[in-house]
């Protein structure tokens, strides 16, 4: 009788699961290459189109492979809370491991309270990490009294990371205090410099900027659409000509990919860290003309009196 090894759940992504996020949980096991097995998840919510699994195999050594079964839950809700079981089963044996997922409120907040004593009475003003004056809105709550000022930042996300400044000034002096906010969250990604059209058969660079803490893994894909804008008969290719992601700030990263333009389609930049993933997609349109609109002239020489077609 051949026994199976114990699977292991990588639970880093389960530290703080919030409503609305996309959750990715990996379960791994080393198995003999000759073993026939079933490797999967049991979930408390059955038959949900938001829940799926993917498997990956990687050669571990000459006789075994490292198998990963990734559980994917899109747009997490309260109903997704509960016990999740990862199992591997063969004819001779079965091994299981369980974990509990707790769903937390999204949109946590932070606030700073600064006490002030000055004469003449100082004017107080808060500034965001970009140096822009903060006024009260749905994102920021500011409350200032004669002796104190409060800044509350609502629905924290990774883009809120940075240095915030409170400035107090009167006719005599200006004083400033800086507060550093470091938000740990899933990435935020955006495609930059997408053109309205691209010439056919030219290699083009695409740029994706990502804000992430902790640092992300950035991947690219392109959905080739021969019948664009219809997705019928489309195929997805994973792009490999990727430049190493470079950090342009403490939590900012940029990834660049090169791709030959063969047809119209959709390009996707996907960034993941242990807390989740974020994808951004844009359409790539191919033009045969000299721009988004253009005139394609005849290829043959033209003389006076000829009929031509443009």
């Amino acid at each position: 009788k051949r026994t199976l090894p114990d699977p292991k759940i990588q639970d880093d992504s389960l530290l703080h699961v919030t409503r609305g996020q996309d959750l990715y949980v990996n379960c791994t096991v080393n198995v003999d290459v000759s073993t026939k097995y079933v490797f999967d998840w049991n979930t408390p919510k059955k038959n949900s189109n938001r829940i799926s699994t993917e498997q990956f195999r990687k050669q571990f050594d000459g006789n075994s492979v490292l198998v990963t079964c990734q559980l994917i839950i899109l747009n997490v809700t309260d109903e997704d809370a509960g016990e999740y079981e990862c199992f591997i089963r063969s004819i001779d044996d079965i091994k299981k491991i369980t974990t509990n997922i707790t769903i937390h409120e999204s949109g946590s907040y932070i606030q700073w309270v600064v006490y002030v004593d000055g004469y003449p009475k100082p004017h107080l003003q808060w500034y965001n990490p970009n140096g822009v004056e903060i006024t009260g809105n749905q994102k920021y709550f500011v409350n200032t009294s004669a002796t104190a000022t409060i800044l509350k930042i609502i629905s924290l996300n990774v883009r809120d990371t940075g240095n915030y400044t409170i400035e107090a000034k009167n006719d005599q002096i200006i004083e400033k205090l800086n507060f550093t906010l470091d938000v740990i969250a899933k990435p935020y990604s955006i495609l930059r410099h997408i053109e309205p059209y691209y010439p056919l058969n030219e290699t083009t660079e695409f740029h994706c900027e990502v804000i992430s803490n902790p640092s992300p893994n950035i991947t690219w894909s392109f959905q080739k659409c021969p019948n664009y804008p219809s997705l019928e008969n489309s195929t997805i290719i994973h792009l490999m000509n990727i430049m190493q992601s470079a950090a342009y700030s403490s939590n900012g990263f940029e990834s660049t990919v090169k791709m030959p333009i063969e047809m119209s389609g959709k390009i996707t930049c996907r960034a993941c860290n242990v807390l989740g993933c974020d994808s951004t997609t844009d359409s790539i349109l191919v033009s045969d003309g000299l721009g988004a609109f253009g005139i394609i002239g005849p290829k043959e020489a033209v003389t006076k009196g000829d009929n031509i077609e443009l």
Side-chain angles (χ1 to χ4, degrees), residues 3-271:
T3 60
L4 292 169
D6 292 316
K8 297 179 180 179
I9 295 175
Q10 299 174 9
D11 57 3
D12 290 349
S13 61
L14 302 178
L15 296 177
H16 194 79
V17 181
T18 58
R19 295 187 191 99
Q21 78 168 85
D22 295 341
L23 179 64
Y24 300 81
V25 187
N26 289 339
C27 185
T28 60
V29 66
N30 285 318
V31 295
D32 190 276
V33 292
S34 62
T35 302
K36 294 182 179 180
Y37 60 87
V38 175
F39 189 31
D40 207 350
W41 288 84
N42 283 324
T43 64
K45 188 173 178 62
K46 307 296 183 183
N47 302 321
S48 172
N49 57 12
R50 296 183 297 103
I51 300 177
S52 61
T53 60
E54 290 187 18
Q55 288 204 17
F56 311 94
R57 291 167 59 93
K58 182 180 180 181
Q59 193 71 32
F60 190 70
D61 56 35
N63 298 316
S64 64
V65 290
L66 177 65
V67 186
T68 299
C69 187
Q70 184 178 69
L71 173 68
I72 304 168
I73 307 176
L74 302 179
N75 190 23
V76 168
T77 70
D78 289 335
E79 296 177 348
D80 298 317
E83 186 176 81
Y84 287 74
E85 178 186 82
C86 173
F87 69 90
I88 183 169
R89 183 178 67 242
S90 68
I91 296 176
D92 299 320
D93 195 16
I94 183 170
K95 293 290 176 63
K96 305 175 182 179
I97 185 172
T98 61
T99 187
N100 276 286
I101 294 180
T102 302
I103 311 302
H104 298 274
E105 288 279 356
S106 60
S108 55
Y109 70 90
I110 189 173
Q111 73 176 20
W112 291 296
V113 181
V114 179
Y115 295 95
V116 181
D117 182 19
Y119 183 84
K121 180 182 177 181
H123 172 74
L124 304 175
Q125 183 60 57
W126 289 92
Y127 294 90
N128 70 16
N130 296 321
V132 177
E133 182 178 317
I134 295 175
T135 57
N137 53 36
Q138 292 182 341
K139 181 67 178 176
Y140 300 109
F141 170 80
V142 179
N143 185 22
T144 299
S145 67
T147 58
T149 180
I150 299 172
L151 172 63
K152 183 177 181 180
I153 306 174
I154 304 162
S155 299
L156 287 175
N157 62 63
V158 71
R159 287 172 287 173
D160 296 319
T161 294
N163 294 318
Y164 293 78
T165 301
I166 175 64
E167 178 185 87
K169 65 179 179 180
N170 58 23
D171 295 339
Q172 307 297 322
I173 195 171
I174 297 176
E175 293 284 353
K176 295 181 180 181
L177 281 178
N178 293 320
F179 298 87
T180 299
L181 177 60
D182 197 11
V183 181
I184 299 174
K186 75 174 188 177
Y188 170 79
S189 58
I190 185 169
L191 287 165
R192 293 292 191 191
H193 315 304
I194 297 295
E195 300 292 339
Y197 77 95
Y198 290 89
L200 187 65
N201 295 324
E202 285 195 10
T203 298
T204 303
E205 282 190 359
F206 296 95
H207 303 271
C208 182
E209 291 183 4
V210 177
I211 302 173
S212 178
N213 185 22
S215 59
N217 176 45
I218 303 173
T219 57
W220 292 82
S221 63
F222 182 68
Q223 188 172 11
K224 301 169 71 173
C225 302
N227 302 308
Y228 190 89
S230 171
L231 301 182
E232 184 179 0
N233 298 323
S234 66
T235 56
I236 296 176
I237 59 173
H238 296 283
L239 305 179
M240 305 307 296
N241 191 11
I242 303 172
M243 294 179 60
Q244 181 67 31
S245 300
Y248 61 85
S249 66
S250 59
N251 294 316
F253 302 84
E254 182 178 26
S255 179
T256 303
V257 68
K258 288 185 177 181
M259 181 185 74
I261 305 296
E262 299 174 350
M263 66 177 67
S264 296
K266 294 179 178 292
I267 193 165
T268 298
C269 169
R270 179 179 175 84

